[in-house]
Amino acid sequence: MSDPVEFKWDKKLIIRDNKNGDKVLETFPEDKLERVKYANFLTKFLADQGYNKASGEKHNYVLNLNSEWGSGKTYFLRRWAEDLKEHYPVVYVDAWKQDYSDDPLMTVISSMIKQLREQAGSAEDKAIIKASRKLFGLLKAAAPSAARSLTKRYLGIDPVKIMEESEDNNQLGNAIDEDGNPIDMGLAASKVVEHLISEHDAKATAIESLKVNIEQWVATVIGKDQTQEVDEPKRTYPAFVFIDELDRCRPSYAVEMLETIKHIFNIPGVVFVVATDTGQLQHAVKAVYGEGFDARIYLSRFFSSRFSLKTPSFDNLLDVHCSTNLLAKEHLDERGIDIWNISDDLNETLNNITSVLNVFDLSVRSAIQTTERLISTVNNMGTGSTVDLISLLFLLCVREKNEIIYEHLIRGEINTQSKDDKDKVVNAFFRELFIDSDSQLTIHLKPKELTTTLRVANTSSTKNIYTDGKYQCSVGQYYHAIIKTIFYKASNLGGNKVEFNTNEFNESRKPQLESALNTLLKQLRDEGEVKGAGIYWTEYSYLHDKIGIKAKKGMYKDLVELASALDWIDGEDEA
């Protein structure tokens, strides 16, 4: 069993180049997604798979680390690799940064030799081990574009000319060489086969030679540590080779890399970790082999096992990937931007955002980008602007999820009672959206500032018993009570007439408010309390506040369309 490696990711890690004036090479922030537990588990698992410490037997192992975009894959891999360097030989290859290469195998081989050489303390011009000359056989990769020149060089035949002549003469027996002499095509074909076999054998021999070279470099790194007398951790087997960003490469390169590096996966004492968004990589495979190709089975051939990083909850992701500090109430107050009912506690605001994102079941990528759009839009509003953050986010999510539904909704022509096909589709969309969701919003309300009593007509009144504080309602309730007010026809939102002793409300909102108050008062009379009163007081407060008057569908339409015009180009998954 291998000795455990101690990982401490609760603080920022700064990597410096001590040989170059302490220049900062890389910075790893605190591990907010709690990935360290995976580093602990996988290190022990892979170390045991690659090396039996008791018997000294070395084995090979290939792990596919699966994690979707935005979930912290690259951060995890790079920090994990950095911590392992004190205990094992380590190689890290960013496949995407090198996908300009025509030979993926040489990309990985050269990275392995270069990094192992450095860990062995050997300068490039003072190599402890020199690679076999058979290595150069790998540089003769017979790409399709080189086929014509290779055939002419080795056989004296121009294949394009032969094909052109055969099309004219409807036969293949009249081909001539460059000197005008007829070619025996049977003999030419046998020479081609002989040459291809020779090239294949040379390349296979070169690969075997390279694998031996890599074994020697790994042994050199470990042997160097064992001869040192300093009181530091000694590196041991196995060597860890991390291949990252394969799913971001162009499809042909990603597939070619897998199909070529498999030849070096079986080096004893070396474990490979190939990090991918497996879903995206399957798309790359299908782009090469066709949509009907079983990419899942194909990929399983390359790996010993697959380990999937659990997707973190959105509340953790947002804090890592987005500039959430720009939604702090203090910051918005300084900008003169009025967000309806925003909490003094930024965490509560982020929890509300997370609740909306969860209802729409967005992918990690979409959730992060939608939140960035929200933040950018709010922070670009002018002084004195007013907006309801939850309604704006809800609309951004609708547009992200289904643009056709969004277009119907934003026009404000939807009728909840209509049997029109368009209205049916929209209403069914939202019905399905909330069926299995009970995501809660936390709203800070002051009921007694709104009214001290509640009256039904002129016959009786009830004392307002509700105190100031936090109230909860579901996202679905918020949609029906607040968002419909903005976008659905007012004629569908009426209720029984009730009187209330408060300031004037916008007439177009009055029917909805009356309906909510009537329901609230009925429950108060029947039960003495209201279970789930949050949505009623939220609606009451919303319509009483200036946001209820200022909120116009045109304003939200402009904000959403402005935000949606901003698309984030996928960058490195650094968190």
Side-chain angles (χ1 to χ4, degrees):
M1 302 290 284
S2 58
D3 294 329
V5 179
E6 186 178 7
F7 296 95
K8 294 182 178 179
W9 291 9
D10 56 337
K11 295 180 181 178
K12 179 192 293 187
L13 174 65
I14 299 175
I15 307 300
R16 301 181 184 276
D17 182 1
N18 296 324
K19 297 179 181 179
N20 191 16
D22 282 343
K23 177 183 176 182
V24 175
L25 299 177
E26 194 163 9
T27 300
F28 297 98
E30 172 193 349
D31 173 32
K32 294 183 179 181
L33 301 184
E34 300 180 349
R35 294 301 198 201
V36 68
K37 59 187 177 185
Y38 299 124
N40 278 309
F41 173 79
L42 288 174
T43 298
K44 185 177 184 305
F45 173 77
L46 291 173
D48 290 341
Q49 294 296 322
Y51 181 59
N52 187 315
K53 195 171 183 180
S55 66
E57 293 180 359
K58 298 188 288 290
H59 307 281
N60 60 282
Y61 199 84
V62 186
L63 177 76
N64 175 209
L65 183 72
N66 174 38
S67 179
E68 65 179 303
W69 182 94
S71 57
K73 178 173 74 263
T74 292
Y75 167 88
F76 170 71
L77 217 64
R78 292 188 67 85
R79 185 154 191 178
W80 183 21
E82 189 63 39
D83 281 0
L84 287 179
K85 285 180 180 178
E86 291 185 3
H87 305 271
Y88 304 95
V90 173
V91 173
Y92 178 87
V93 180
D94 186 328
W96 183 66
K97 286 185 177 179
Q98 302 188 62
D99 82 342
Y100 57 83
S101 168
D102 289 329
D103 194 335
L105 180 58
M106 285 306 300
T107 296
V108 176
I109 292 292
S110 60
S111 294
M112 291 178 71
I113 291 177
K114 180 176 184 295
Q115 293 180 46
L116 289 171
R117 182 200 303 272
E118 291 172 352
Q119 291 168 51
S122 173
E124 290 190 15
D125 57 347
K126 295 181 180 179
I128 298 174
I129 301 167
K130 293 186 177 180
S132 166
R133 292 191 62 83
K134 294 175 183 177
L135 162 64
F136 298 105
L138 288 174
L139 301 177
K140 293 182 179 179
S145 60
R148 181 176 183 179
S149 60
L150 285 173
T151 309
K152 286 184 66 176
R153 175 182 173 188
Y154 287 100
L155 306 176
I157 302 170
D158 187 338
V160 175
K161 186 174 181 181
I162 292 174
M163 286 186 284
E164 289 173 349
E165 290 189 6
S166 66
E167 287 178 0
D168 293 336
N169 303 327
N170 291 319
Q171 57 183 340
L172 198 59
N174 295 330
I176 57 175
D177 62 19
E178 292 181 340
D179 297 327
N181 300 316
I183 298 173
D184 182 340
M185 294 306 297
L187 177 61
S190 67
K191 287 185 177 181
V192 170
V193 172
E194 181 183 343
H195 170 66
L196 291 177
I197 291 174
S198 175
E199 284 290 302
H200 178 271
D201 289 346
K203 190 166 186 175
T205 303
I207 289 173
E208 290 304 315
S209 177
L210 273 172
K211 286 159 63 175
V212 172
N213 288 149
I214 291 171
E215 280 188 76
Q216 292 173 328
W217 276 113
V218 171
T220 301
V221 173
I222 293 170
K224 166 182 171 288
D225 276 9
Q226 305 309 317
T227 59
Q228 292 180 336
E229 296 182 359
V230 293
D231 187 19
E232 292 181 0
K234 306 293 186 183
R235 279 176 286 195
T236 184
Y237 287 103
F240 284 75
V241 179
F242 297 96
I243 299 177
D244 195 11
E245 304 284 23
L246 192 60
D247 47 283
R248 294 183 66 194
C249 298
R250 63 185 190 273
S252 59
Y253 184 84
V255 172
E256 189 179 355
M257 172 166 276
L258 272 179
E259 291 182 343
T260 55
I261 62 176
K262 69 180 180 183
H263 296 296
I264 58 170
F265 278 165
N266 61 345
I267 302 174
V270 178
V271 295
F272 285 82
V273 179
V274 183
T276 66
D277 179 336
T278 304
Q280 291 299 315
L281 189 57
Q282 287 178 358
H283 289 309
V285 172
K286 290 182 178 181
V288 174
Y289 289 112
E291 278 300 318
F293 189 76
D294 194 332
R296 184 182 61 84
I297 296 295
Y298 168 83
L299 291 176
S300 68
R301 294 165 37 209
F302 296 98
F303 308 117
S304 306
S305 64
R306 175 174 294 135
F307 186 91
S308 296
L309 293 180
K310 182 181 177 181
T311 301
S313 60
F314 286 152
D315 51 348
N316 289 330
L317 280 172
L318 299 185
D319 204 26
V320 169
H321 289 278
C322 304
S323 304
T324 54
N325 60 301
L326 296 179
L327 291 179
K329 187 176 185 301
E330 183 181 85
H331 169 75
L332 294 170
D333 287 345
E334 289 177 359
R335 297 283 313 281
I337 300 172
D338 185 12
I339 304 299
W340 184 73
N341 211 283
I342 194 167
S343 173
D344 290 334
D345 184 350
L346 178 58
N347 288 328
E348 282 187 2
T349 300
L350 296 182
N351 288 340
N352 283 344
I353 291 174
T354 297
S355 291
V356 177
L357 295 175
N358 283 332
V359 165
F360 285 88
D361 193 27
L362 297 181
S363 68
V364 170
R365 182 195 306 262
S366 294
I368 291 170
Q369 293 182 344
T370 299
T371 305
E372 278 294 293
R373 290 189 182 104
L374 176 74
I375 294 170
S376 298
T377 302
V378 168
N379 273 274
N380 277 283
M381 296 174 68
T383 300
S385 299
T386 302
V387 72
D388 173 15
L389 193 73
I390 294 171
S391 293
L392 178 57
L393 175 61
F394 189 94
L395 292 169
L396 285 168
C397 288
V398 173
R399 193 181 189 282
E400 180 71 21
K401 195 74 174 180
N402 191 317
E403 195 164 345
I404 294 175
I405 297 294
Y406 167 79
E407 289 297 333
H408 287 325
L409 177 63
I410 204 71
R411 292 192 185 105
E413 301 173 349
I414 307 303
N415 188 320
T416 55
Q417 307 302 322
S418 170
K419 295 183 179 179
D420 180 85
D421 287 344
K422 175 184 64 178
D423 296 335
K424 284 182 178 179
V425 169
V426 174
N427 293 324
F429 172 83
F430 289 112
R431 237 184 352 262
E432 290 293 320
L433 195 67
F434 302 121
I435 281 179
D436 297 319
S437 174
D438 191 38
S439 292
Q440 297 291 305
L441 301 169
T442 299
I443 313 292
H444 286 258
L445 300 170
K446 298 180 179 180
K448 288 190 176 180
E449 285 189 10
L450 298 174
T451 181
T452 57
T453 60
L454 297 170
R455 283 191 301 166
V456 179
N458 292 316
T459 58
S460 63
S461 63
T462 302
K463 183 179 180 182
N464 182 4
I465 63 173
Y466 290 96
T467 57
D468 299 349
K470 298 179 184 179
Y471 287 77
Q472 286 198 320
C473 65
S474 71
V475 176
Q477 289 175 323
Y478 198 92
Y479 162 74
H480 287 291
I482 306 298
I483 298 172
K484 276 186 178 181
T485 304
I486 306 172
F487 295 102
Y488 278 61
K489 287 183 177 179
S491 60
N492 299 303
L493 303 172
N496 297 323
K497 290 287 183 180
V498 225
E499 293 182 11
F500 43 89
N501 56 338
T502 184
N503 299 328
E504 280 294 317
F505 292 84
N506 186 312
E507 282 298 316
S508 66
R509 308 292 193 263
K510 198 169 183 178
Q512 184 182 18
L513 176 62
E514 291 168 351
S515 177
L517 283 173
N518 193 39
T519 304
L520 173 63
L521 291 172
K522 183 177 183 301
Q523 286 187 275
L524 278 172
R525 290 196 307 273
D526 294 347
E527 303 171 19
E529 63 174 342
V530 179
K531 294 178 181 179
I535 186 56
Y536 301 114
W537 284 115
T538 297
E539 183 179 8
Y540 197 111
S541 179
Y542 184 90
L543 298 180
H544 181 275
D545 199 288
K546 60 183 178 180
I547 187 69
I549 299 174
K550 287 189 175 182
K552 307 291 183 184
K553 62 175 180 284
M555 177 190 75
Y556 284 103
K557 179 177 183 291
D558 291 343
L559 290 175
V560 172
E561 292 185 356
L562 178 65
S564 300
L566 182 61
D567 279 327
W568 272 259
I569 307 301
D570 293 352
E572 289 188 56
D573 175 19
E574 294 178 347

